[in-house]
Amino acid sequence: MATVTARAHPNIALVKYWGKRDPVLNLPAVGSISVTLSDMETETEVTLDPSAEADRFTLDGASAPAEAARVGRFLDRVRERAGIETHACVSSRNNFPTAAGLASSASGFAALTVAATRAAGLALDDRELSVLARLGSGSAPRSLFGGFVEMSAGRSTSGADAVARQLHPPRHWPLTVRVAITASGRKQVGSTEAMQLSERTSPFYGAWVERNAADLDEARAAIAHRDLERLARVTEASCLSMHAVALSSEPGLLFWNGTTVRVIHEVRAARARGLPVFFTIDAGPQVKVFSEAGTSFALEQVHGVEQVIEVGVGPGAEVV
Ligand code: PMV
């Protein structure tokens, strides 16, 4: 029996991915740029067991039927690729709250991609790992790499060019990321369903796709020059545009709560006072606040903030 354990970290998009150009191959309609986080991690152990009659999956020690189906479909791809039929026992652990808008699907599928391919005897390059990870989750290829990462939308119908690559390693710009937890429940709508609703119904969806190339150029340049003010502008604009598309879907998707909005105001007020901070928000109520390392900025006192997790820029996925 081959057992392999891999570790991967969540990532947070500065330029957001929202929309699919091909839902079957899970090809993104837009490119995205992210930062991989340190400290928060998913560790996934995969054992290929010739005597097992089905795949088994546990998340944080408990069975997770919804995720198990998705994991099973992903393992089918790996088996297909490796030319084997062996079932797997997969156990995955997050050291942070699952499905609360902290991109556990990204770190989860990045860790699973690395562990399952290795256990199946495959030696894939970064591009091939990226293609496979994307079939699990659109943001997962970004967690294969550390530091600052770009995921391309690509053009080919096969998806061969819809891959992630590292722009800069973590040491390029040691930012601090504070995750303000404003609600700890699981999210209401899955991101795939939400994106597809936006694509079908938001009158702003076309404009969102159109602005993407300029956002990517701007973010790439801001990161290359370590220009926080510039990165703040494009990151907040990408985030608020994504949420404008979500809000203008029918029925409207409102991921924020009152505390989310209070944190946004707090961050903007601090930046107006000259503090180098900015925010971004994914398909959930948590707010991720970026700053230059060493900037002290407390969010715990904002009414409704349950917890603040402080991390840095982290490494890519690896076998443990
Ligand atoms: O990878 P998914 O399908 O969970 O989509 C992630 C979408 C956002 O988190 C909202 C944006 C992003 O680019 O991470």
Side-chain angles (χ1 to χ4, degrees):
M1 285 198 293
T3 297
V4 178
T5 302
R7 182 185 298 140
H9 303 264
N11 70 75
I12 293 174
L14 302 167
V15 176
K16 299 293 186 199
Y17 151 52
W18 194 252
K20 297 179 195 286
R21 67 181 171 92
D22 180 336
V24 176
L25 291 178
N26 205 23
L27 301 178
V30 293
S32 52
I33 292 180
S34 61
V35 172
T36 302
L37 304 182
S38 66
D39 303 285
M40 290 192 213
E41 60 186 41
T42 301
E43 213 171 87
T44 300
E45 183 186 277
V46 175
T47 303
L48 288 182
D49 179 358
S51 67
E53 288 178 3
D55 293 321
R56 271 177 303 148
F57 176 67
T58 60
L59 183 58
D60 295 326
S63 71
E67 286 86 357
R70 221 169 137 191
V71 168
R73 285 194 297 274
F74 181 83
L75 291 170
D76 287 342
R77 307 279 193 156
V78 176
R79 280 188 283 261
E80 203 175 279
R81 183 75 205 251
I84 60 171
E85 288 180 354
T86 321
H87 289 290
C89 177
V90 178
S91 101
S92 193
R93 279 182 188 281
N94 292 326
N95 71 351
F96 59 95
T98 295
L102 290 175
S104 58
S105 71
S107 53
F109 278 103
L112 181 61
T113 300
V114 171
T117 54
R118 189 69 75 88
L122 293 167
L124 304 185
D125 64 20
D126 285 349
R127 182 171 271 268
E128 294 171 304
L129 286 172
S130 213
V131 167
L132 206 50
R134 192 197 65 231
L135 297 169
S137 155
S139 55
R142 300 188 314 231
S143 278
L144 292 171
F145 303 95
F148 297 80
V149 181
E150 177 163 358
M151 169 82 194
S152 303
R155 285 166 187 273
S156 92
T157 49
S158 73
D161 55 355
V163 292
R165 69 185 168 103
Q166 185 180 66
L167 295 174
H168 303 278
R171 65 174 180 281
H172 170 71
W173 197 5
L175 297 174
T176 294
V177 186
R178 291 179 177 85
V179 181
I181 309 278
T182 65
S184 45
R186 289 176 77 86
K187 65 180 171 188
Q188 316 256 301
V189 202
S191 53
T192 295
E193 201 187 319
M195 285 178 199
Q196 288 179 332
L197 181 71
S198 289
E199 190 181 336
R200 282 199 312 275
T201 62
S202 169
F204 306 144
Y205 183 78
W208 160 252
V209 173
E210 221 159 277
R211 66 172 290 148
N212 179 243
D215 283 351
L216 292 172
D217 288 346
E218 188 61 16
R220 236 183 266 117
I223 294 166
H225 295 105
R226 299 186 197 88
D227 184 338
L228 193 119
E229 184 57 42
R230 196 171 173 189
L231 189 58
R233 277 197 303 272
V234 63
T235 300
E236 292 188 0
S238 175
C239 164
L240 294 174
S241 301
M242 181 198 109
H243 285 277
V245 170
L247 284 165
S248 57
S249 304
E250 242 186 272
L253 298 160
L254 175 53
F255 295 111
W256 304 351
N257 58 36
T259 307
T260 311
V261 178
R262 277 193 292 277
V263 175
I264 292 176
H265 285 299
E266 193 71 23
V267 170
R268 288 218 155 158
R271 193 154 82 255
R273 292 195 306 270
L275 212 63
V277 291
F278 62 86
F279 68 86
T280 189
I281 305 159
D282 294 301
Q286 327 305 6
V287 187
K288 289 90 179 206
V289 180
F290 285 76
S291 63
E292 298 273 8
T295 307
S296 68
F297 183 52
L299 288 163
E300 285 85 351
Q301 83 293 350
V302 178
H303 178 70
V305 169
E306 294 178 5
Q307 191 191 349
V308 179
I309 305 174
E310 192 176 315
V311 297
V313 183
E318 59 186 6
V319 170
V320 184

